Amino acid sequence: MREKILALLDWLSAPSRMKLRLFLEGNLIGILTGFVIAAFRWLLMMSEEALPRLYAFLAEHPAWTLAWAGVLAVIGYILYRIVRHEPMTSGSGIPQIEGILAGEMQMNWARVLAWKFVGAVLGIGAGLSLGREGPSVQLGACLGQGVGRLARRAPGEDRYLLTAGAGAGLAAAFNAPLAGVIFCLEELTKDFSPLVLMGAVAACVTATTVTQQFFGLAPVFHMGDVPVVATGSFYFLLILLGLFVGAVSLAFNHSLTFSLDTFARVKLPAWSKPMVPLFLSIAFGFTLPQVLGGGSPLVDSLVVEDYGFAMLCVLFAAKFCFLMVCFGSGVPGGIFLPMLVLGALAGAIFAKLAALAGVLPEGLDASCMVFGMAAYFACVVKSPITGTVLIMEMTGSFAHMLPLILVSMTAYLVSDLTGGQPVYEMLLQRSLRLRDRARARFEAGRKRPASREPHV
């Protein structure tokens, strides 16, 4: 039996059978990623359900608020230790994966896998306005790289497996296998290679199949019956929606870098910085609990509750500012899901304005929210096809492909014409600049003592 297995492995190792290897190993990566992300999603779902009950209890028993603040302080210190021990766990994780694929970064896949999982569960579970998708992408990439390393694949093939794992992480996080594949092609590699496609398809479909065994076939956002919008009849209104959401989203990237730079400059002990957004979450928990966590319940509530125009603006501003503070602190967590929530809120605000102007028929508010999510994503990430496919899969609105593409491309052009940079590329370039400066300071420090020696 052992000889037959070795013979099979030797047969598979031939260069001509690389696509078959990628397909088989992609399925293995998808299975592993599916189970890890299922556990990750389940823990975050439990926290989403527990937080409203917790703050309701604290409202009735305010004396316990100090105890909860103590718990958050402990969580903040743990997050500080995790990021200090393994810097690759900081933030979203997607810029790090792009850095690895570009040959600019390296990671210890097993260590990042363990600490990213723990850090993201603690931070997002405690109420920070961060998303699960970035950590899910990085967790999947870790598993993909781990399979490649354990199988002793060549560096080029190892990159395909890492890419497949990253796509599987996105697919499993959002129940969106096609978006996971497109994400690998359009965002991560920017290469529509059949080798990338083979591993990505196998991993994304398998990972989604695994998570569907736990969470069912329902889309992530429960938008109900979203009315179909005829592109021809509402062509100019859809363009206006794309322009509006695109203009609203222009501040996103600059605000992210501003928040990161502010946290880097502020005169606080490093161990206390993660505690800033955690303590801020207490205030939001009592006043605007809708902005806590990733934000899926908030999107669902926009469909069933009639928020006024002023309340929608307050929710948008609060979610935006809280996200910036959370991400700027450097704790593990992504911006993907909160970004979509902001897009849904922007779409809802546009719907209110259009209704007041008498140009939007009744019953199309949910459609504007769906289009707003795609437009916001397209403008910030500058991956309009990924955004279109992702929103269709996340909302179950497959009949809206044409208006989604039109709105997404309009918002994309707004970003392009104003010099906008893709957010993950921007974050990667920032990290590389900081690394190069740190290296330059280190080298200057090593040379300085020698220059002070007296000349003979």
Side-chain angles (χ1 to χ4, degrees), residues 3 35 54 82 105 107 121-122 213 218 231 236 296 298 304 339 350 372 383 397 406 424:
E3 292 178 355
F35 280 107
L54 171 65
I82 287 174
M105 293 182 175
M107 73 174 176
V121 168
L122 287 176
Q213 303 307 308
T231 308
F236 292 107
S296 294
L298 175 55
V304 297
M339 184 198 316
F350 177 86
S383 296
S397 304
L406 177 60
Y424 295 120

Side-chain angles (χ1 to χ4, degrees), residues 212-447:
Q212 284 178 349
Q213 303 307 308
F214 297 95
F215 304 106
L217 300 175
V220 173
F221 293 135
H222 305 98
M223 306 295 291
D225 186 17
V226 182
V228 177
V229 176
T231 308
S233 304
F234 294 96
Y235 188 87
F236 292 107
L237 188 63
L238 292 171
I239 290 180
L240 285 176
L241 174 57
L243 292 173
F244 175 81
V245 177
V248 168
S249 61
L250 288 177
F252 190 91
N253 290 9
H254 297 294
S255 299
L256 278 183
T257 53
F258 175 78
S259 181
L260 288 165
D261 293 341
T262 301
F263 266 93
R265 290 193 304 264
V266 69
K267 302 299 183 181
L268 284 175
W271 55 265
S272 69
K273 291 182 180 181
M275 299 178 192
V276 173
L278 286 166
F279 290 153
L280 183 59
S281 71
I282 298 177
F284 281 120
F286 287 118
T287 57
L288 281 175
Q290 299 96 322
V291 305
L292 297 180
S296 294
L298 175 55
V299 174
D300 294 342
S301 73
L302 290 174
V303 181
V304 297
E305 296 186 31
D306 186 19
Y307 289 103
F309 176 77
M311 186 60 182
L312 288 172
C313 293
V314 169
L315 286 170
F316 182 92
K319 185 69 177 176
F320 185 93
C321 295
F322 191 34
L323 168 60
M324 296 305 155
V325 175
C326 292
F327 191 80
S329 68
V331 300
I335 57 175
F336 214 103
L337 182 55
M339 184 198 316
L340 297 181
V341 176
L342 290 171
L345 287 166
I349 292 171
F350 177 86
K352 291 290 184 185
L353 292 173
L356 288 174
V359 295
L360 184 72
E362 284 188 34
L364 293 183
D365 292 34
S367 300
C368 289
M369 296 174 205
V370 172
F371 302 151
M373 285 190 277
Y376 208 97
F377 181 92
C379 188
V380 173
V381 183
K382 300 194 77 171
S383 296
I385 306 302
T386 301
T388 297
V389 174
L390 178 67
I391 299 307
M392 284 194 297
E393 290 187 292
M394 289 181 69
T395 61
S397 304
F398 295 98
H400 290 89
M401 184 174 68
L402 290 179
L404 278 170
I405 291 175
L406 177 60
V407 173
S408 296
M409 293 308 299
T410 303
Y412 176 89
L413 284 173
V414 170
S415 175
D416 202 55
L417 293 174
T418 54
Q421 198 178 6
V423 65
Y424 295 120
E425 182 179 320
M426 178 200 72
L427 292 173
L428 172 60
Q429 294 303 320
R430 180 183 181 277
S431 296
L432 295 178
R433 285 196 302 271
L434 292 176
R435 183 195 65 182
D436 292 342
R437 289 174 190 169
R439 285 179 178 175
R441 286 195 298 268
F442 177 75
E443 292 297 329
R446 290 181 61 186
K447 295 176 182 178

Side-chain angles (χ1 to χ4, degrees), residues 31-43:
I31 293 171
L32 297 174
T33 302
F35 280 107
V36 170
I37 301 306
F40 185 53
R41 284 178 60 178
W42 183 80
L43 290 170

